Amino acid sequence: MGRGCAALLLVSSVATATPADPARLAGVVVDERGEPVAGANVSASAEPAPVTATTDARGAFTLALPAGTAFVTLSKSGFDAALYEETLAAGENRTVHYRLAHGALGATVVGARLLPQLPAPDLEVSRYLFNRADLDRGPGAMEDITRVIATLPGVVADPDLLATFFVRGGGPEEVGTYLDEVPLQNPFHLGGFASVFNPMLIDKVEFSAGVTPPRYEPSLSGALDVHYVSGATDRLRAEADVSMQTAKVRVDTPTGIEGLSALGAFRRSFFELYFAGLRAAHVLTGDYVAPDLSEAFFRLAYHRGSHHLTLSYMRATDGFSFLLQPGEKPLFGSTSGLYLSNLLQLGSLQDRIALGDSRELVLTAALTDDRSQSSVTSETVFARDVRRLQALARADLVLPFAERHKLVLGVQLARRRYLLHGELRDERGVAPWASRPLVETYAAPIELNPDLRQDHAAVHGELQARPLSWLSVETGARLQALFQGGPLVYSARAAGAAKLPTGTLLKLEAGVATQQPQNPLLLDPTYGNPALRPERSRQLVAGVEQLLPIRLLARVEGFYKWLDHLAVNPDSDDGVRALVAAGQPVFQSSGSGTSRGVDVLLLGRAENLSYGLSGGLVFADRHNPLAAGVQSYAAPWDQRLTISANAAITPGTGWLISARTTFHTGRPYTPVVGFQNDSANQRFLPLFGQTNSARYSDYFDLSLRVEKRFGWGPLQMAWYAEVLNATNSTNVFALTYDQGDSAAGTEPQQGAFNHLPIRPFLGVRGEY
């Protein structure tokens, strides 16, 4: 509010020339994602009085102004005021493209709306939108947007320990992940402990759980697109957040150069201190070893004329070291040491060019370097050093036409390289999709040094149309070809939504997508099969959505996915040897599967209360024709029933109390049914039952949060407290087995590696 008043005072103090022939200033106002902002106030300096207008449903406006210099102010509730300078000639017709940003530093200031507004019914299918406020409000999210995604219908996760998630019966590698339109091959720290997305920078998040939209690279189970704030600012802003687990700071500042702003943010964990305190209080045992995570992000934003450039750099690092001390029991099996380390660097340059009449050209170039090192010391030692390199360039052209139609065309070039050096366990005889307990199998190590290169070119097109006021239609396709030759990767999607007179939305979506196997080892000439075909998913989604008079939004979607061309291998070493003897590849594109189910979402709002319930029922199976044993079995993500409920209340000024509970059935796994005493080598060899024929126990989690926002001089402050896993539920992550004693005939004993127990989480946040 203060910034808007200051901008208006500035505008009113500027005098301009008043020639006889007025100029015409027309344009559109959009938000950070390019969506039209309707109802925004547009005011331009002029004599004898400012000229004003209000944007229409398309975000469009028109002003008649005298020639000369004018300062144009944009304002709307919930957005930061923006100021633009225009110099117009007499009689000139100029088209502009303005942007408004949501709230100050993510709308966390005192006086901001604490409870979420009930969203309007969405014409798109299986799409969900978030902003930073949704992350701040979510108990149990642990400052991670992917843990918020885990509360959606059709999504399953174990959020108290891992940030990875499964979508509608598919694995985490089947979801494409993006940061500001740049694909990330590995968006998680330490294989899933936390995502690399700094919550202090998040502006908008779009998640597609159904058919992957063609603007993204083809994937089997949707896409997650995280947008950071633009970084444009006209004054110094700073924010800091310190909790029992992490410290975060962000600074936005103008540079003194017209149109140029700078943003810097840093996040560092101190889980080592937090976990040490929990162990001292006997909440945790010595089996839990804390990782360390850190991220740095820098962005320059430059706006001049029709160009809006952003230059960004991110560096994310993490590490984990577990060394068994004398007399300590191994974490699992005979492991005595575990070391993990990762480094991700990303640099990008993007130019959003306004072409007039709401048209826009977006040019993006990016480089990423993702390195990870890991080693395990046990009876069988293995270590590896992996490096993923990517260079990417893309162009997207947005062409609105008529009043409610839009065409998006794009082209992308990418070069990717995967390098690995190290010794790995030879698991070509382990059934695909098999989930096993943590047990030493004494698999022979195999030394690999693959250097895989993939260069591709892609084109895509999407059409969004509203042929009738009650009908919305979307269609699009993407085609991606490798320069090295091989099969094409492609996707196609068609969707429609019809709004009935009762306000009911009926939705239908159908599509197909192919995706190269995401484990590069499967394409390695030594270990895998370079001739593997892209895996394919065909989907059909039908849904209904209704906003009820009691301020309750209800959405129900049913889905069916047919999967084929899946990469499979035998389920035994004998099967591997038989294929090799016959001159056939061990990995073949002959697997198939299905995933089907129903998702339900309920969102309600009262005066001081918001609440929600999401649920999913899924049946996911896979078929492996190369298996000698059972060939059809449950996928490891076949967690039949998932329920997540949340509620938030504002009992007084600045207070926010919220709770979230999550339940899901256990993951399938392949049980150990016995051990064979290999006395010659003084060890026990595990004997496994049918693939994924057992299930872990059900998962339950309850998290509570309280937050108080207040002003302190020029600062906007908040303190917050959470209790994670408030019921101290013992959720089993995996069964474990020790080494046993072959000489004494004592078989390995079963134990369990559990999720984290009850633990507090306190923090304070300040903003200037």
Side-chain angles (χ1 to χ4, degrees):
M1 186 69 177
R3 288 188 300 277
C5 292
L8 290 174
L9 290 174
L10 175 62
V11 170
S12 64
S13 66
V14 178
T16 58
T18 312
D21 296 329
R24 178 179 177 273
L25 182 68
V28 294
V29 179
V30 298
D31 63 15
E32 303 91 323
R33 293 184 56 252
E35 299 293 336
V37 177
N41 298 314
V42 184
S43 177
S45 57
E47 291 293 345
V51 179
T52 63
T54 302
T55 58
D56 61 18
R58 296 183 296 115
F61 70 92
T62 302
L63 298 175
L65 299 171
T69 299
F71 290 91
V72 182
T73 303
L74 308 178
S75 61
K76 184 182 178 181
S77 177
F79 292 78
D80 284 343
L83 181 67
Y84 294 90
E85 179 183 355
E86 302 289 350
T87 301
L88 304 169
E92 179 181 359
N93 291 318
R94 177 174 297 182
T95 301
V96 293
H97 190 270
Y98 292 151
R99 293 182 180 276
L100 278 176
H102 281 82
L105 291 183
T108 61
V109 298
V110 173
R113 185 179 292 110
L114 296 182
L115 295 178
Q117 288 296 299
L118 199 62
D122 191 353
L123 293 174
E124 293 203 33
V125 183
S126 302
R127 186 186 73 156
Y128 302 90
L129 298 176
F130 297 92
N131 56 32
R132 178 181 166 186
D134 295 310
L135 177 58
D136 289 337
R137 284 189 287 258
M142 294 177 63
E143 308 172 336
D144 205 318
I145 189 61
T146 58
R147 288 183 166 90
V148 177
I149 299 295
T151 65
L152 295 175
V155 182
V156 186
D158 299 331
D160 71 329
L161 184 61
L162 295 177
T164 53
F165 55 88
F166 316 134
V167 180
R168 290 179 173 175
E173 72 281 354
E174 296 179 8
V175 178
T177 306
Y178 300 81
L179 174 60
D180 288 329
E181 302 175 7
V182 177
L184 299 180
Q185 296 170 282
N186 178 26
F188 294 100
H189 287 291
L190 299 172
F193 185 83
S195 76
V196 297
F197 302 119
N198 187 334
M200 197 171 271
L201 297 172
I202 288 176
D203 176 51
K204 288 284 189 70
V205 177
E206 182 175 352
F207 175 63
S208 299
V211 182
T212 305
R215 60 184 175 274
Y216 305 118
E217 295 189 18
S219 56
L220 302 183
S221 297
L224 173 62
D225 193 1
V226 177
H227 296 265
Y228 276 179
V229 294
S230 67
T233 185
D234 57 359
R235 70 172 182 87
L236 175 65
R237 302 176 181 178
E239 183 182 9
D241 189 314
V242 179
S243 72
M244 294 175 63
Q245 297 184 146
T246 60
K248 304 187 293 291
V249 64
R250 170 184 161 190
V251 177
D252 298 44
T253 180
T255 63
I257 301 175
E258 184 179 1
L260 181 64
S261 304
L263 178 154
F266 182 75
R267 177 168 68 156
R268 170 63 161 92
S269 72
F270 25 84
F271 288 105
E272 60 272 24
L273 299 178
Y274 178 65
F275 279 21
L278 294 181
R279 280 198 299 271
H282 304 289
V283 176
L284 293 178
T285 68
D287 283 345
Y288 291 93
V289 182
D292 60 87
L293 318 174
S294 65
E295 297 151 5
F297 184 87
F298 303 95
R299 170 164 284 177
L300 292 175
Y302 182 69
H303 181 262
R304 191 71 173 174
S306 60
H307 293 267
H308 190 134
L309 291 99
T310 54
L311 177 65
S312 309
Y313 172 75
M314 180 178 74
R315 178 185 174 90
T317 63
D318 56 66
F320 176 94
S321 181
F322 170 79
L323 297 175
L324 190 65
Q325 301 300 319
E328 286 187 335
K329 184 179 179 181
L331 184 64
F332 62 89
S334 56
T335 298
S336 57
L338 174 63
Y339 171 78
L340 301 174
S341 176
N342 298 275
L343 168 63
L344 169 63
Q345 297 184 90
L346 183 151
S348 67
L349 175 64
Q350 185 175 85
D351 187 9
R352 308 187 76 96
I353 308 171
L355 303 177
D357 296 329
S358 302
R359 296 172 299 170
E360 185 178 47
L361 176 63
V362 183
L363 305 176
T364 305
L367 295 171
T368 60
D369 184 357
D370 189 346
R371 302 193 65 172
S372 62
Q373 294 179 306
S374 60
S375 64
V376 174
T377 304
S378 61
E379 291 296 322
T380 55
V381 179
F382 72 92
R384 64 179 181 179
D385 187 347
V386 180
R387 189 174 189 183
R388 305 175 183 89
L389 300 169
Q390 173 182 250
L392 176 134
R394 61 179 290 171
D396 297 273
L397 180 62
V398 181
L399 299 172
F401 62 97
E403 183 178 355
R404 294 175 296 188
H405 311 307
K406 183 171 69 174
L407 177 65
V408 180
L409 302 173
V411 61
Q412 175 177 299
L413 299 174
R415 163 166 288 185
R416 292 179 180 136
R417 187 178 181 186
Y418 177 90
L419 302 98
L420 182 148
H421 173 74
E423 290 187 349
L424 303 177
R425 290 170 176 161
D426 188 353
E427 296 186 339
R428 291 175 294 176
V430 178
W433 313 296
S435 175
R436 288 183 168 184
L438 302 177
V439 60
E440 181 63 77
T441 62
Y442 303 98
I446 180 173
E447 185 171 348
L448 294 172
N449 293 279
D451 184 352
L452 304 179
R453 303 167 188 250
Q454 290 185 337
D455 303 327
H456 77 246
V459 293
H460 78 267
E462 294 181 77
L463 174 64
Q464 301 175 9
R466 294 285 299 276
L468 301 170
S469 61
W470 53 270
L471 180 64
S472 173
V473 178
E474 297 182 15
T475 185
R478 184 184 183 98
L479 188 62
Q480 200 162 291
L482 288 173
F483 291 134
Q484 291 88 347
L488 297 175
V489 176
Y490 58 89
S491 66
R493 175 181 181 268
K499 187 174 184 179
L500 304 182
T502 59
T504 306
L505 280 178
L506 301 180
K507 305 180 181 182
L508 186 65
E509 178 186 53
V512 60
T514 61
Q515 182 180 16
Q516 284 284 1
Q518 293 303 286
N519 183 355
L521 288 178
L522 298 185
L523 300 175
D524 177 63
T526 302
Y527 187 85
N529 177 11
L532 284 174
R533 301 172 64 183
E535 300 178 321
R536 183 170 64 177
S537 168
R538 289 169 289 180
Q539 297 191 47
L540 180 65
V541 184
V544 59
E545 189 168 335
Q546 177 72 59
L547 182 60
L548 301 175
I550 58 174
R551 301 184 70 184
L552 177 68
L553 178 69
R555 175 191 291 183
V556 180
E557 291 185 352
F559 63 90
Y560 206 111
K561 293 199 295 187
W562 295 266
L563 303 162
D564 58 5
H565 304 161
L566 304 181
V568 294
N569 56 278
D571 59 352
S572 67
D573 292 335
D574 290 340
V576 172
R577 286 189 288 267
L579 286 177
V580 172
Q584 298 184 35
V586 173
F587 293 93
Q588 302 180 16
S589 299
S590 56
S592 60
T594 62
S595 292
R596 63 273 188 203
V598 178
D599 294 339
V600 178
L601 177 65
L602 300 175
L603 296 175
R605 175 68 191 270
E607 181 178 357
N608 295 314
L609 171 69
S610 68
Y611 56 93
L613 174 70
S614 66
L617 181 66
V618 65
F619 299 86
D621 57 69
R622 299 294 183 267
H623 179 74
N624 176 20
L626 299 183
V630 60
Q631 294 188 335
S632 295
Y633 44 88
W637 319 288
D638 177 65
Q639 293 163 277
R640 295 290 169 83
L641 179 64
T642 303
I643 299 175
S644 180
N646 65 84
I649 187 172
T650 54
T653 303
W655 286 94
L656 176 65
I657 301 174
S658 55
R660 187 188 76 185
T661 182
T662 301
F663 168 87
H664 64 69
T665 51
R667 291 175 285 110
Y669 72 96
T670 304
V672 174
V673 296
F675 289 89
Q676 177 183 349
N677 191 346
D678 181 9
S679 55
N681 293 295
Q682 293 292 298
R683 62 189 185 183
F684 280 99
L685 301 177
L687 304 175
F688 294 97
Q690 290 188 352
T691 305
N692 293 355
S693 59
R695 285 185 182 270
Y696 288 113
S697 57
D698 296 339
Y699 174 93
F700 178 79
D701 175 72
L702 172 66
S703 295
L704 308 173
R705 178 184 173 95
V706 59
E707 180 172 341
K708 171 62 176 176
R709 303 184 184 185
F710 58 96
W712 187 27
L715 302 180
Q716 305 296 337
M717 303 290 296
W719 64 261
Y720 52 92
E722 290 191 33
V723 178
L724 308 178
N725 192 7
T727 60
N728 201 27
S729 300
T730 302
N731 297 309
V732 177
F733 177 72
L735 295 179
T736 65
Y737 290 87
D738 62 22
Q739 190 175 2
D741 189 338
S742 176
T746 304
E747 291 189 352
Q749 298 299 300
Q750 178 182 292
F753 182 65
N754 298 326
H755 288 270
L756 297 175
I758 185 173
R759 56 207 187 278
F761 182 36
L762 306 173
V764 61
R765 179 174 63 241
E767 178 184 333
Y768 171 76

